[in-house]
Amino acid sequence: MSRATAILAPIVLVVILCSPARAAVLWQNVGPILAHENGEGTDILQAAVSRDNTASDALYFKFHVNPLSDASMEPYSAGFQLFLGDQERLGVGNSLEAWAYSAFNTLETGTNKKVPGDVDLHSASPESYEPGRYLSYEFPRRGFERTIVFKVQFVPGGEDLVTVWMNPRLTPGATEENQLTNLVTQFKANASFNQIHLRHHGNGDGWVFSDLAVATSFDDFIVIPFWETWWFRTMVAAGLMVWVVGVVRVMERRKYLRQLQLAEQERTLERERARIAQDLHDDLGSSLTRLTLLSGLVKADKDNPEQVEAHASKLSQAADQTVRALEEIVWAVRPGSDTLQSLMDYIAHFANELFDGSSARCRLDLPNDLPAWPLPPDMRHNIFLIVKEALTNAFKHSGAGEVQVRAKIIGRTLEISVVDDGKGFNPASLVEGWRNGMGNLRRRAAAMSAKLDLQSEPGKGTTVRFSVGLEGDKEAKRGK
């Protein structure tokens, strides 16, 4: 079981258990069912529900009717009727004699009834019977659909109590007690049954019945919007919990990634400190040691002008190398030097100083409007050392008249090439300086997953080209 499932399972269970229980629907038929000239009709209940004269509970019946026959123009009888075997019991619909929504086969026999056993159902839309006179009941009319709900309170061995609601309100909050009084009709009838028939006989095109049901509570007929149902609330609660768990997991993952990033930054910083310490020891330390030795030789050979001049020349070269090594270290640690543009500027500075006073011309084709992408210190250092190695080898070994340094950005890739028009060589038989230099180049390129290519032919110069993928834009966005 996942962590999210373990959290959600008890929540969903609590929501389900706390959801209000619905009344029991004992039977239902969505329909539609057309009843037209079918006499007594046929049973549609199929023994799903039944009650005899010993029953003492209450049942609720519901049906929706679309009258295709119009009682204002044609006499007919139609209705939803209970049967006990082949014996007719209570019916609700349109009595042949009533010509209105009515109940028939009731136990009402008062003198004010049109026909013994017929009861007109009250309506919220009184009918105009004649000028100046209105009736409290409603004629079934074509195109005017109605819903009827009736309740039977069974009385063992006695007369069952019937309540009929004509087109009741079935929206959330409605109950049988808060219906309009002019929609309610009450009477007594024998309502024991084991069958339900849908009937029509007489004139017109019949009735279309739909949404038929038998239940144990009025509440079951209340139309509840889906957003108020228990299953929807359960889904919302579950979805909310999934969202909360997801947010927590995302936050935890971001926190974890941030910690990894900080750890990587610390490791990078430690590597850079170690590299700088190594450079100070190797480059600057050895240069200072050489300066000390050469100074001692100058003093020892002070009486030999030729030796002093030779030592002084070497001393000057060593001093230049020391200054460059110191400049490189200062550039590496100076704030603001960790961008791509700073790298290009320093490559230009190094190339100009290296070829200053040389017979070879150094041409620079470096962009000066690069995006401010940060570069990891080790990548920046390796890129510079590759260019430095290529330029130094071209300066010392190529005998070139011109050396070109080109750089360009293609998508997220930096491509740099160092091209000279010198004497070139056969790459299969590298001279010692180039062999050592190529080894350094390949190691540094591999350290940052860069592609390195060396092209050279005798008499046709040499090209060192490498390309490396940059993630500076992503890092910059992440830093925001």
Side-chain angles (χ1 to χ4, degrees):
M1 182 182 292
S2 67
R3 182 179 179 183
T5 304
I7 295 175
L8 285 177
I11 300 298
V12 173
L13 181 60
V14 168
V15 172
I16 292 175
L17 293 177
C18 292
S19 300
R22 298 290 295 160
V25 177
L26 304 180
W27 172 85
Q28 61 183 357
N29 188 322
V30 177
I33 302 173
L34 173 63
H36 180 234
E37 290 293 341
N38 63 344
E40 292 185 354
T42 58
D43 176 43
I44 62 172
L45 189 57
Q46 300 298 316
V49 187
S50 65
R51 291 292 187 274
D52 57 24
N53 61 3
T54 65
S56 60
D57 60 345
L59 289 183
Y60 293 77
F61 301 80
K62 173 190 174 187
F63 64 93
H64 184 81
V65 60
N66 179 11
L68 304 181
S69 300
D70 197 324
S72 65
M73 297 183 294
E74 48 203 10
Y76 68 90
S77 175
F80 175 106
Q81 187 168 11
L82 304 179
F83 273 71
L84 183 63
D86 58 357
Q87 300 177 28
E88 295 187 28
R89 297 299 194 217
L90 172 66
V92 178
N94 175 46
S95 168
L96 180 62
E97 300 298 332
W99 281 39
Y101 284 110
S102 52
F104 46 93
N105 283 358
T106 75
L107 299 177
E108 300 293 327
T109 57
T111 56
N112 61 334
K113 303 298 179 185
K114 301 185 187 74
V115 176
D118 287 0
V119 176
D120 290 327
L121 301 181
H122 294 106
S123 171
S125 303
E127 290 285 348
S128 176
Y129 182 68
E130 59 185 33
R133 182 181 178 190
Y134 291 88
L135 306 176
S136 63
Y137 49 82
E138 177 184 349
F139 296 117
R141 297 184 184 278
R142 179 188 292 269
F144 291 85
E145 301 183 22
R146 293 292 182 257
T147 296
I148 297 176
V149 174
F150 66 94
K151 169 188 176 182
V152 177
Q153 177 63 59
F154 294 96
V155 178
E159 299 174 346
D160 301 322
L161 305 178
V162 182
T163 303
V164 182
W165 293 274
M166 179 66 188
N167 215 37
R169 183 170 66 92
L170 298 176
T171 53
T175 66
E176 60 181 283
E177 290 81 11
N178 64 13
Q179 300 295 323
L180 296 175
T181 56
N182 58 345
L183 298 179
V184 183
T185 306
Q186 294 181 318
F187 52 87
K188 295 179 181 180
N190 185 344
S192 57
F193 73 100
N194 57 15
Q195 297 181 21
I196 292 177
H197 292 210
L198 305 179
R199 308 182 58 183
H200 171 269
H201 61 87
N203 297 325
D205 297 326
W207 275 17
V208 177
F209 293 87
S210 61
D211 197 18
L212 302 97
V214 180
T216 60
S217 170
F218 187 92
D219 293 341
D220 193 67
F221 301 143
I222 302 301
V223 179
I224 301 177
F226 73 90
W227 57 87
E228 293 185 7
T229 57
W230 68 268
W231 57 266
F232 180 79
R233 292 177 177 177
T234 300
M235 290 177 60
V236 170
L240 181 61
M241 289 305 303
V242 169
W243 178 79
V244 170
V245 171
V247 169
V248 171
R249 293 194 64 180
V250 168
M251 294 178 65
E252 288 180 348
R253 179 172 176 78
R254 286 183 177 177
K255 181 179 179 181
Y256 174 71
L257 292 177
R258 192 178 302 113
Q259 291 174 344
L260 284 181
Q261 186 179 11
L262 291 175
E264 181 60 28
Q265 289 176 351
E266 290 178 0
R267 286 194 294 270
T268 301
L269 181 60
E270 289 300 322
R271 289 196 299 269
E272 185 66 6
R273 287 174 175 172
R275 183 192 65 77
I276 293 172
Q278 189 68 32
D279 289 348
L280 287 172
H281 179 271
D282 294 345
D283 296 341
L284 194 57
S286 61
S287 295
L288 292 174
T289 300
R290 188 180 181 193
L291 286 172
T292 302
L293 292 175
L294 289 172
S295 298
L297 291 175
V298 169
K299 291 180 180 179
D301 296 330
K302 62 181 179 179
D303 296 329
N304 189 338
E306 293 181 0
Q307 289 296 326
V308 169
E309 184 177 353
H311 295 327
S313 177
K314 292 179 181 180
L315 189 62
S316 176
Q317 293 176 1
D320 288 342
Q321 292 176 358
T322 302
V323 171
R324 287 176 186 168
L326 184 59
E327 284 183 347
E328 185 178 334
I329 293 172
V330 171
W331 169 72
V333 299
R334 185 177 62 231
S337 298
D338 57 349
T339 63
L340 187 58
Q341 187 62 59
S342 174
L343 174 62
M344 293 296 106
D345 294 343
Y346 192 70
I347 288 175
H349 170 74
F350 174 81
N352 288 330
E353 280 204 344
L354 180 63
F355 286 91
D356 184 30
S358 171
S359 60
R361 179 185 178 188
C362 181
R363 296 182 57 186
L364 301 175
D365 184 8
L366 304 176
N368 57 8
D369 57 349
L370 294 171
W373 293 348
L375 292 177
D378 52 348
M379 175 181 283
R380 184 185 67 212
H381 186 61
N382 283 325
I383 292 174
F384 171 72
L385 290 182
I386 289 176
V387 176
K388 176 182 177 181
E389 187 75 29
L391 285 173
T392 302
N393 285 330
F395 178 75
K396 290 182 178 180
H397 307 295
S398 69
E402 182 175 278
V403 178
Q404 296 181 357
V405 181
R406 303 189 186 113
K408 58 183 177 181
I409 298 292
I410 303 174
R412 294 176 181 172
T413 301
L414 170 65
E415 183 177 296
I416 298 180
S417 59
V418 179
V419 183
D420 68 66
D421 60 358
K423 57 188 178 182
F425 58 89
N426 182 359
S429 56
L430 293 173
V431 297
E432 183 177 356
W434 262 111
R435 188 181 301 112
N436 294 335
M438 278 305 299
N440 292 334
L441 292 177
R442 295 191 189 284
R443 283 193 297 273
R444 297 191 183 282
M448 55 181 176
S449 301
K451 295 180 180 179
L452 179 68
D453 182 39
L454 170 66
Q455 297 177 357
S456 184
E457 291 184 30
K460 294 186 178 181
T462 301
T463 298
V464 176
R465 180 180 293 106
F466 75 96
S467 59
V468 60
L470 301 176
E471 297 297 332
D473 55 342
K474 290 183 180 180
E475 295 296 332
K477 291 177 182 177
R478 194 176 295 132
K480 294 179 183 179

